[in-house]
Amino acid sequence: VLRKRVVAQKGRDVKALDADVEAAWRETAERLRQERNVAEGLLREENRSVRDRIAEAGAQGKEQKHLDADVEAARRAAADRIVFEKKLAKAQLNSENRVLWERLGQQKTSQKTALDQEILDARREAAARCESEMAEAEEALRAENWVLRRRVVAQKGR
């Protein structure tokens, strides 16, 4: 009995809509679906036309996709010439380097040793000078610290 009453009470409950409202909902849903289908169709058509224009522009473009055989042969010849010139320059550089290394090897070993000895002596002198300066600076700091300690002790005694 209660169930029959609830079924008969259409329109009073939030979940139970009357027939007019349900029909309006269905009409709205159908209209929206049709509008969406029309919009998708228009978008599809526009995309197709854009793709066609792109394909047409690619076919009639200013830039050729394939070069003439003469142009390709000239490009290959230029590339081969560049590779040859680089190899030639590298060989020449290696030859010059070899000559320079031979000259260096022919120099007297005493000159090399003397130069190296001069550098070593200069380094030793600089290290000794630096060490003596550091020792003097440390001695000056020790003396200064001693004077400061004496002042602190004298002030505490007052």
Side-chain angles (χ1 to χ4, degrees):
V1 176
L2 184 61
R3 188 173 191 185
K4 288 180 182 179
R5 275 190 189 168
V6 171
V7 171
Q9 287 184 343
K10 285 192 175 183
R12 291 186 181 178
D13 191 1
V14 175
K15 295 179 184 173
L17 300 174
D18 53 350
D20 295 336
V21 175
E22 286 180 5
W25 275 96
R26 279 192 295 274
E27 287 174 15
T28 304
E30 182 62 29
R31 183 177 43 82
L32 288 175
R33 193 173 343 179
Q34 288 174 354
E35 289 175 0
R36 204 174 310 124
N37 288 340
V38 168
E40 286 176 2
L42 290 174
L43 185 61
R44 239 180 280 125
E45 183 61 35
E46 185 178 342
N47 287 342
R48 187 178 307 119
S49 68
V50 168
R51 278 193 301 268
D52 291 345
R53 279 187 284 155
I54 289 172
E56 184 180 329
Q60 297 175 359
K62 296 177 184 174
E63 187 177 327
Q64 294 181 354
K65 302 300 177 191
H66 299 285
L67 297 174
D68 293 338
D70 296 337
V71 175
E72 287 182 3
R75 284 187 175 185
R76 269 189 252 111
D80 292 343
R81 184 175 31 86
I82 289 171
V83 168
F84 176 74
E85 289 173 356
K86 283 184 180 180
K87 286 181 181 179
L88 185 65
K90 187 175 181 180
Q92 185 177 359
L93 188 62
N94 287 339
S95 173
E96 291 173 2
N97 285 342
R98 210 175 304 116
V99 169
L100 289 175
W101 280 111
E102 287 174 5
R103 281 188 198 165
L104 286 174
Q106 292 174 357
Q107 283 184 345
K108 295 179 183 175
T109 55
S110 62
Q111 287 178 348
K112 285 185 191 177
T113 309
L115 181 64
D116 290 341
Q117 192 60 41
E118 288 176 13
I119 292 172
L120 290 175
D121 290 343
R123 287 182 180 174
R124 284 189 194 112
E125 288 176 20
R129 190 173 46 248
C130 183
E131 191 174 318
S132 67
E133 289 173 359
M134 288 290 286
E136 290 174 7
E138 287 179 7
E139 186 60 37
L141 281 174
R142 266 190 236 112
E144 191 176 329
N145 285 341
W146 184 79
V147 170
L148 289 174
R149 268 191 237 123
R150 296 283 309 234
R151 281 187 192 167
V152 170
V153 169
Q155 285 180 353
K156 286 184 180 179
R158 287 187 186 177

